[in-house]
Amino acid sequence: MSKENFIKGAAILGVAGLLVKILGAIYRIPLTNLIGTEGIGYYQPAYNIYNLLLVVSLSGFPTAIAKLVSEKRALKNFEGAYQVYKVSRWGLFLIGLISSLLVLIFAKNLVSLIGFPGAYYSMLALVPALFAVPLLSAYRGFFQGSQNMAPIALSQIIEQVFRVSVGLYLAYALVGRGLEEAAAGATFGASAGGVAALILIYLMFLFTKKSIKEEIKLSSHNRTEPVKNIVKSLLYIAIPITIGASIAPLMGIMDSYIVSNRLTAIGYTNVQIADMFGELSGTAQTLINFPQVFSTAVAMSLVPAITDAFTKKQNVKLNVTANAGVKMSLIIGLPCGIGLFMLAEPVIALLYSSLGPEKHASSGALLEILAIGVIFLTLVQAFTAILQSINKQFHPVKNLIAGLIVKVILSYILIGMPSINIKGAAISTTISYFVVALLNWYDINNTSIKIKLIQVSSRSLLSVAIMAAATGVSFRFFKSVLHSQNLATLGSITIAVIVYVICLFATGAITKADLELIPKGEKLARFVRK
């Protein structure tokens, strides 16, 4: 594959991924305004179980399929590549069939087990998605291994468009019947999206099937192997990736379980618990997802650059690139974290106007806590990318498990305190991100890479301090002049962005070399210089 084609494929997936993440993050805002925090409290627990069940088919297997297909195609063994796809498709079909049937039969038991019986209809609404998405992953893995990224990108966009449009429509149509039904309508969007994407990618596969058969016919290097060998190879690649990817959804399920049980223990009713959990997951947590759109992009761009330097044993370049990547992550994470901390309640009021002042205050308090966690989360993403790039992929998994243990212990203790209650979940999340970031940093510094945190963060911290002062002053000024909190919030956010960007260049936090690390960075550097 030529460099130009590789860049083109990466760009297609990058743009699609950005659109999908933005759509997913924005989706929660109108949904929460429509069904409220109680409705989100029925929606999110079912989604947490769904995400865990899909980890196998969404993380490990597509990567494993892509790797094996790519390897066999590189050897001109096109029949072997097609065999990998066929074995994987049947395996993922069985996974989808079993998981969807189990949820269909035991949905009530599952949601009762985690303490949210009101999420029953939402759990049922996800059954079609549990069947369709694993099959979808088989096609995506094959196309990725064949270096054809367009079908993957299109299926991702279609999946999210259907999820958002169908989910919002059904939530609106069913909200009159009750919040549990409306939440189920919203979750059914995932099923509609999965089925629509599967149909699309299957049709695209049919269009390419002729060329696949032609490749097989013309190659003299075709060779098949026993199915058990292919299964072993798939599992060898998929299992460690799946273990790592399962930590986040597992953390979500543990959150649901502990929140329900500990709040029940201190006297809250099921409706109150669903309402409070909805505030945590539907308002505060949703806003934390926005910065991840950009910090994830930085982490993804780090992998090939660091892998290249590591493979060539270029230690100086390796250290420079790793430190630059961490610095860019902090340049994103610091202002997002501090900005959300300072304007937590006003931002909640701006985006979720229908919730009312009382909910704005309580959700704002949760957002203040989680906003600090944004800084540690961006570091976790950067450090994880570095460790994976230097063949230390099990270190982040080990550290995530440690973070999960810390979160469970702290959540159990803090949520059970009446004066802290649901805020204990936010506090434990922030501390667990800090622990994982610290452990990852320690593991990196035990390699040939040395991350100099003070050096890479000092100028960004200075820029953020100036931005914070400008944010506080401008918010009070706009509020007194405009007599509107929402307008004051928008005005102070605008001032904060302008001041922060100016400070980044004025303090030298961003240099020409940093800009050249990102796509089209040379043009951006020339623009900044002008």
Side-chain angles (χ1 to χ4, degrees):
M1 187 182 192
S2 69
K3 181 180 178 182
E4 291 76 15
N5 285 338
F6 172 77
I7 293 170
K8 182 182 176 183
I12 290 170
L13 284 182
V15 171
L18 189 62
L19 286 172
V20 166
K21 284 181 178 291
I22 290 172
L23 275 172
I26 291 173
Y27 171 54
R28 287 295 189 90
I29 296 171
L31 182 62
T32 304
N33 279 315
L34 180 63
I35 65 175
T37 50
E38 184 188 340
I40 294 294
Y42 302 131
Y43 168 94
Q44 191 60 44
Y47 235 95
N48 288 338
I49 296 172
Y50 168 74
N51 286 334
L52 181 62
L53 290 172
L54 281 188
V55 160
V56 172
S57 55
L58 281 179
S59 55
F61 268 98
T63 303
I65 295 165
K67 188 174 187 299
L68 292 181
V69 168
S70 180
E71 286 175 356
K72 292 183 184 299
R73 287 180 63 87
L75 298 171
K76 305 296 182 186
N77 181 10
F78 298 112
E79 189 174 2
Y82 191 65
Q83 185 192 19
V84 168
Y85 149 73
K86 287 193 293 184
V87 171
S88 305
R89 184 190 61 189
W90 279 109
L92 287 167
F93 168 80
L94 288 173
I95 289 171
L97 182 64
I98 292 167
S99 62
S100 58
L101 285 175
L102 285 174
V103 169
L104 182 64
I105 296 166
F106 297 108
K108 193 176 285 289
N109 304 79
L110 284 170
V111 294
S112 297
L113 181 65
I114 61 171
F116 286 87
Y120 172 63
Y121 294 130
S122 294
M123 197 72 254
L124 286 180
L126 290 166
V127 168
L130 285 167
F131 177 73
V133 175
L135 271 175
L136 176 62
S137 296
Y139 289 103
R140 283 175 175 169
F142 178 74
F143 277 121
Q144 185 181 348
S146 303
Q147 299 164 354
N148 184 1
M149 305 303 178
I152 302 171
L154 285 171
S155 69
Q156 287 175 341
I157 293 169
I158 288 296
E159 182 180 7
Q160 193 71 317
V161 167
F162 269 78
R163 176 184 170 234
V164 170
S165 57
V166 173
L168 285 176
Y169 171 76
L170 289 177
Y172 177 79
L174 295 170
V175 73
R177 297 190 180 186
L179 291 178
E180 292 182 25
E181 289 82 356
T187 53
F188 187 77
S191 292
V195 172
L198 177 60
I199 292 170
L200 174 70
I201 208 166
Y202 175 69
L203 291 173
M204 298 184 81
F205 177 78
L206 288 181
F207 283 125
T208 60
K209 202 167 183 179
K210 185 178 178 181
S211 62
I212 293 168
K213 289 184 175 180
E214 193 68 25
E215 283 180 331
I216 294 171
K217 185 179 177 181
L218 294 174
S219 177
S220 58
H221 300 280
N222 289 322
R223 183 175 64 87
T224 58
E225 57 186 303
V227 170
K228 66 176 183 179
N229 290 354
I230 295 174
V231 172
K232 282 181 183 177
S233 299
L234 286 167
L235 292 175
Y236 180 78
I237 300 167
I239 286 173
I241 298 172
T242 301
I243 293 171
S246 66
I247 302 297
L250 188 59
M251 195 176 284
I253 290 176
M254 293 302 297
D255 237 8
S256 306
Y257 178 78
I258 295 170
V259 164
S260 174
N261 280 269
R262 297 303 285 158
L263 290 180
T264 299
I266 57 176
Y268 288 95
T269 66
N270 285 341
V271 171
Q272 288 174 317
I273 291 167
D275 192 28
M276 294 167 78
F277 189 69
E279 285 187 38
L280 176 71
S281 60
T283 56
Q285 191 67 51
T286 297
L287 293 173
I288 299 307
N289 291 335
F290 277 103
Q292 290 184 59
V293 172
F294 305 101
S295 58
T296 301
V298 171
M300 287 176 66
S301 66
L302 265 178
V303 174
I306 292 176
T307 300
D308 182 71
F310 177 74
T311 305
K312 295 175 181 175
K313 296 184 171 32
Q314 298 171 334
N315 281 342
V316 173
K317 183 181 177 183
L318 187 63
N319 273 274
V320 169
T321 306
N323 278 275
V326 172
K327 182 171 76 170
M328 292 300 288
S329 293
L330 284 170
I331 282 171
I332 294 166
L334 282 168
C336 291
I338 300 302
L340 286 172
F341 175 81
M342 294 191 68
L343 297 174
E345 188 177 338
V347 167
I348 293 285
L350 175 68
L351 297 175
Y352 305 100
S353 57
S354 66
L355 297 181
E358 188 179 336
K359 291 283 177 66
H360 294 159
S362 54
S363 296
L366 291 170
L367 181 57
E368 282 180 355
I369 300 165
L370 288 171
I372 303 304
V374 169
I375 301 168
F376 303 130
L377 179 57
T378 54
L379 283 174
V380 168
Q381 290 174 320
F383 291 157
T384 298
I386 293 168
L387 286 167
Q388 288 174 340
S389 302
I390 58 173
N391 295 333
K392 303 286 184 184
Q393 55 265 37
F394 279 101
H395 284 72
V397 174
K398 163 185 65 85
N399 297 337
L400 279 168
I401 291 170
L404 176 62
I405 293 168
V406 168
K407 175 165 176 54
V408 168
I409 293 170
L410 286 177
S411 289
Y412 186 86
I413 295 169
L414 296 174
I415 296 171
M417 296 180 179
S419 59
I420 299 177
N421 55 74
I422 192 68
K423 290 194 286 291
I427 294 167
S428 63
T429 296
T430 297
I431 293 174
S432 68
Y433 286 149
F434 170 73
V435 169
V436 177
L438 196 64
L439 292 173
N440 279 353
W441 181 43
Y442 175 81
D443 285 339
I444 290 171
N445 283 342
N446 278 334
T447 68
S448 57
I449 300 174
K450 308 299 174 190
I451 302 295
K452 302 170 183 176
L453 269 182
I454 295 176
Q455 184 177 320
V456 300
S457 66
S458 56
R459 298 185 184 193
S460 300
L461 283 168
L462 176 59
S463 301
V464 165
I466 298 169
M467 180 206 80
T471 303
V473 171
S474 62
F475 180 74
R476 285 191 289 272
F477 172 76
F478 285 132
K479 194 173 181 180
S480 63
V481 172
L482 300 172
H483 304 292
S484 168
Q485 180 172 282
N486 286 347
L487 290 176
T489 304
L490 290 170
S492 59
I493 290 172
T494 304
I495 294 295
V497 171
I498 293 169
V499 169
Y500 182 64
V501 171
I502 291 171
C503 287
L504 285 178
F505 292 108
T507 60
I510 291 184
T511 64
K512 180 187 173 185
D514 294 328
L515 291 175
E516 288 174 350
L517 282 173
I518 61 177
K520 305 294 182 184
E522 301 85 354
K523 292 182 180 179
L524 186 58
R526 286 198 295 272
F527 172 77
V528 170
R529 192 159 56 246
K530 288 178 182 178

